[in-house]
Amino acid sequence: MKLALYRYELPFTHPLTFHGRVETVRQGLLVNLDGGWGEIAPLPGFSRETLAEAQEQALLCLKALARGETITATLPSVQFGLDCARRSWPTLKAPLPDPYPLIQGAPQDLLKNWKVVLHNAPTNKAKLKVARYPMRDELALIRLLLDRNPNLKLILDANQGWNREEAWTFCLHLDPARIEYLEDPCADFDDIRFVANRTGMPVALDELLAQGKPWEPIPQLRALVLKPTLLGSLCHCEALVAKARELHLKVIVSSCFESGLGLAQLAQLGAEWDPQQAPGLGTRRFLARDLMGKEGAPEMSQLDTVWQHG
């Protein structure tokens, strides 16, 4: 059995902030199991494990495999990467809808460049990060984008950035009919339910799922946003997919700034789990370069070998 673990580092096009942490590069691992690839890339500020911890556990698992033993990974990013490397990927019957663009940055800068922002939303859907800047500035940007494109619907992602009162105030200034859904406005599901019930704002759950917090269906719940890098094993992800189907909720597969390898695998999972929904994979444009070569495999010259066997 041929086994290998590689490390990569990709620069961002500009510094990005994740839960208060400023990052200039994306670092991660690629694992290869007898020719099958997977990506292990915990996201700083979101994943519970660090890259060093993920690398240590991945090495333990690979060395156990080399000895003919099995060690079950416990860290989500390691579970996901190993599962992808072991998976037999089916042939897709039809292409997935194009990913919608991710709008991220200071509202004042985006207000000046709104034509460029809208040009990147040809499907009349775009995702905007909120709860990061003064509320009045974010609301001004939303109003401008919606006014300039009457057919545009926005997905808003607050990353649990508000308390109940802040989220309620924000939603009162918006027309729920122009919002596809608001992801994780608060860190507690009771607060999300309170805001949704009183404003009619459609909502989706994302980080709350990865954190394993309790939730239940409410009339305003529209989608489950699945980030496998944070959720872990494909078995766990597929259980959430089954729950979403039972409740007639959309399943949106979303990225954590993975490389082209991880993004391609996430796109395929999205096509399998809910082929009618465009995935949330608009993070590719924030990476200054990619790892993938013309043959659809990682370019080895961009990888540093951590360990290999066989």
Side-chain angles (χ1 to χ4, degrees):
M1 175 177 277
K2 293 184 178 181
L3 309 169
L5 186 68
Y6 305 95
R7 187 160 178 151
Y8 71 79
E9 181 175 296
L10 297 173
F12 287 127
T13 55
H14 60 274
L16 297 178
T17 302
F18 302 106
H19 275 192
R21 296 181 51 163
V22 178
E23 303 287 341
T24 59
V25 297
R26 184 67 169 109
Q27 296 178 309
L29 303 163
L30 297 188
V31 60
N32 189 287
L33 307 182
D34 268 342
W37 289 95
E39 182 162 354
I40 300 171
L43 184 62
F46 288 86
S47 293
R48 73 170 190 244
E49 71 270 24
T50 65
L51 182 59
E53 291 168 340
Q55 178 172 313
E56 181 181 6
Q57 186 168 101
L59 280 171
L60 287 174
C61 292
L62 290 175
K63 290 177 180 179
L65 284 173
R67 297 191 300 269
E69 305 168 1
T70 300
I71 295 178
T72 301
T74 58
L75 299 178
S77 63
V78 182
Q79 291 176 337
F80 175 58
L82 292 176
D83 279 358
C84 285
R86 286 187 287 242
R87 192 173 197 255
S88 296
W89 294 87
T91 301
L92 294 180
K93 296 180 180 179
L96 199 63
D98 289 337
Y100 46 80
L102 172 64
I103 303 172
Q104 185 166 318
Q108 295 302 323
D109 295 334
L110 295 171
L111 282 166
K112 296 176 184 177
N113 300 293
W114 64 267
K115 290 184 179 179
V116 175
V117 171
L118 290 183
H119 177 72
N120 289 329
T123 60
N124 288 324
K125 183 187 294 187
K127 181 174 181 177
L128 175 65
K129 292 286 188 177
V130 294
R132 298 184 173 201
Y133 298 93
M135 188 176 295
R136 65 179 181 277
D137 294 341
E138 293 183 339
L139 287 170
L141 174 62
I142 291 170
R143 291 192 193 100
L144 182 141
L145 295 177
L146 295 178
D147 287 346
R148 295 298 188 273
N149 187 342
N151 297 318
L152 180 67
K153 291 195 79 170
L154 288 175
I155 295 169
L156 304 177
D157 186 1
N159 291 126
Q160 302 183 340
W162 292 314
N163 59 36
R164 176 183 295 196
E165 290 71 25
E166 290 168 335
W168 189 8
T169 300
F170 185 88
C171 291
L172 286 175
H173 287 85
L174 299 176
D175 177 4
R178 301 295 307 276
I179 307 301
E180 185 89 0
Y181 50 77
L182 171 60
E183 290 182 34
D184 284 345
C186 308
D188 185 84
F189 182 73
D190 286 340
D191 292 334
I192 295 175
R193 175 168 45 198
F194 176 91
V195 173
N197 285 342
R198 281 158 179 77
T199 65
M201 182 62 65
V203 296
L205 303 180
D206 180 356
E207 288 179 70
L208 187 137
L209 301 174
Q211 293 162 349
K213 294 181 179 179
W215 63 278
E216 62 187 41
I218 56 175
Q220 298 80 15
L221 184 58
R222 298 289 185 269
L224 299 185
V225 180
L226 306 187
K227 287 186 170 69
T229 288
L230 304 184
L231 288 167
S233 71
L234 289 177
C235 181
H236 177 43
C237 294
E238 286 163 353
L240 288 170
V241 172
K243 185 66 174 178
R245 289 173 179 164
E246 176 189 336
L247 298 173
H248 304 289
L249 301 174
K250 299 175 183 178
V251 172
I252 312 297
V253 174
S254 184
S255 61
C256 288
F257 293 83
E258 292 89 352
S259 74
L261 174 72
L263 289 175
Q265 292 178 333
L266 290 172
Q268 179 147 356
L269 290 172
E272 293 178 42
W273 292 343
D274 198 341
Q276 304 304 313
Q277 304 305 320
L281 307 180
T283 55
R284 184 191 295 272
R285 68 185 181 90
F286 293 99
L287 294 174
R289 65 173 190 270
D290 195 14
L291 298 175
M292 306 301 286
K294 295 181 180 179
E295 303 301 320
E299 291 187 345
M300 303 308 296
S301 61
Q302 296 199 61
L303 304 176
D304 294 323
T305 303
V306 176
W307 181 85
Q308 57 186 1
H309 169 82

